[in-house]
Amino acid sequence: PHAGPVESKNEAAMSELVPEPRQKPVVPMKPMGINANLLGYIGIDTIIEQMRKKTMKTGFDFNIMVVGQSGLGKSTLVNTLFKSQVSRKSSGWNREEKIPKTVEIKAIGHVIEEGGVKMKLTVIDTPGFGDQINNENCWEPIEKYINEQYEKFLKEEVNIARKKRIPDTRVHCCLYFISPTGHSLRPLDLEFMKHLSKVVNIIPVIAKADTMTLEEKTEFKQRVRKELEVNGIEFYPQKEFDEDLDDKTENDKIRQESMPFAVVGSDKEYQVNGKRVLGRKTPWGIIEVENLTHCEFALLRDFVIRTHLQDLKEVTHNIHYETYRAKRLNDNGGLPPMAAETEENHESNL
């Protein structure tokens, strides 16, 4: 009988502790269909045209590197690719020039215009690569050059008073020329691609494909693909960077059927069936460079220029450059040290 009032007090205390039931939040009304029909023309579709005009004014940068032994037709192929004299040899090369004892890097810039679109093309040649008796570590100057361009871009990017448009000298694409032996890749080929596939987009190319029969060419292509797979060498387009199913389907076809491109280059024109064509004259006929039954040059050109040029630039910026940037800033514990000149400039600006 004495416990009654105590229990009632506890109950009262409990009821004070129990929070009042919370009101359910008001659920906002669902917006009208996102793809609702507009009542009139707004002009959203002109954004594409605005972007086009802006990029047309600024133009494009594209930097292509060619790597391979002397005599594989690197200069000729680059000239054929852009249908103009853009290679090192075409730009005042001296025939008496000796093979360099170490790998040299020679970059030549051109401005090419087509249909009102300007492209600042830089062709980076690597004379001396693979030409020595001892080719140990001969890829190091090339790797150093690629990283130097990333460093140059990074230094411009972290400046306080940075340029509105940073000059882009980064290597967007590296055409690696494989000798048409018909057997297998050399240890040098494998070592180069192992080291550089991590820092640049490598596109393997079988040079002078007219030296092999069609059967030899098909077998050699399959063997090269197999060797690259066994050695874990990733070439462009890399599988992990396919953004959607359409890209994957298209790139899988290129990886499984076209790579490496077996090509023939020529900057000479011949008359074939009343048409002027780029080709190579042989005792048994003319090899037409742009004829797919003769070689895969047209596939390479379409791949590098017409379908994947922008993607090559994006992968360079978003993957290879970002990897370099993150490593560089981590190692340095922050921003890279600036040169004395830039520090003085910044002080005067402040």
Side-chain angles (χ1 to χ4, degrees), residues 43-95:
I44 298 167
D45 57 354
T46 62
I47 293 170
I48 303 295
E49 185 57 25
Q50 292 169 42
M51 289 165 71
R52 193 184 73 84
K53 278 182 183 172
K54 218 160 191 184
T55 47
M56 287 272 278
K57 280 178 191 172
T58 53
F60 300 88
D61 291 309
F62 187 60
N63 309 317
I64 186 168
M65 178 182 261
V66 286
V67 182
Q69 275 181 299
S70 294
L72 289 179
K74 300 189 296 294
S75 301
T76 307
L77 187 80
V78 173
N79 288 343
T80 317
L81 208 55
F82 295 99
K83 292 192 176 176
S84 52
Q85 303 293 307
V86 292
S87 71
R88 171 180 62 96
K89 289 189 179 179
S90 313
S91 308
W93 175 68
N94 180 9
R95 287 205 168 273

Side-chain angles (χ1 to χ4, degrees), residues 76-77 79-80 264-270 278-280 287 289:
T76 307
L77 187 80
N79 288 343
T80 317
V264 176
S266 172
D267 41 18
K268 288 183 181 172
E269 283 191 340
Y270 293 95
L278 285 169
R280 286 172 65 85
I287 296 159
V289 165

Side-chain angles (χ1 to χ4, degrees), residues 62 171-174 201-203 236-237 303-305 307-318 320:
F62 187 60
V171 180
H172 300 126
C173 168
C174 172
N201 295 317
I202 289 181
I203 298 175
Y236 180 84
F303 176 65
V304 172
I305 299 170
T307 61
H308 285 69
L309 190 143
Q310 186 57 30
D311 191 59
L312 279 162
K313 292 181 69 171
E314 283 174 14
V315 170
T316 300
H317 181 75
N318 299 330
H320 299 305

Side-chain angles (χ1 to χ4, degrees), residues 241-344:
F241 306 148
D242 293 342
E243 289 184 354
D244 54 39
L245 194 62
D246 289 345
D247 285 356
K248 189 180 183 306
T249 309
E250 185 188 348
N251 290 341
D252 274 346
K253 194 179 177 190
I254 292 163
R255 283 187 284 259
Q256 290 160 17
E257 294 174 21
S258 306
M259 289 283 187
F261 296 97
V263 297
V264 176
S266 172
D267 41 18
K268 288 183 181 172
E269 283 191 340
Y270 293 95
Q271 195 90 13
V272 176
N273 300 329
K275 285 183 183 177
R276 302 288 292 171
V277 296
L278 285 169
R280 286 172 65 85
K281 196 170 187 179
T282 65
W284 51 89
I286 290 168
I287 296 159
E288 295 170 46
V289 165
E290 295 187 4
N291 187 335
L292 281 173
T293 56
H294 292 193
C295 81
E296 293 165 356
F297 170 79
L299 290 177
L300 173 67
R301 186 216 32 226
D302 291 355
F303 176 65
V304 172
I305 299 170
R306 299 184 185 178
T307 61
H308 285 69
L309 190 143
Q310 186 57 30
D311 191 59
L312 279 162
K313 292 181 69 171
E314 283 174 14
V315 170
T316 300
H317 181 75
N318 299 330
I319 309 296
H320 299 305
Y321 170 67
E322 279 300 317
T323 306
Y324 177 85
R325 182 179 171 278
K327 186 178 183 298
R328 183 76 175 78
L329 296 181
N330 267 334
D331 291 352
N332 211 45
L335 300 178
M338 286 183 284
E341 292 175 10
T342 52
E343 281 176 6
E344 282 167 22

Side-chain angles (χ1 to χ4, degrees), residues 24-49:
K24 286 185 179 178
V26 178
V27 178
M29 284 179 67
K30 283 187 179 177
M32 295 296 287
I34 291 169
N35 296 325
N37 292 329
L38 301 172
L39 297 174
Y41 178 70
I42 297 175
I44 298 167
D45 57 354
T46 62
I47 293 170
I48 303 295
E49 185 57 25

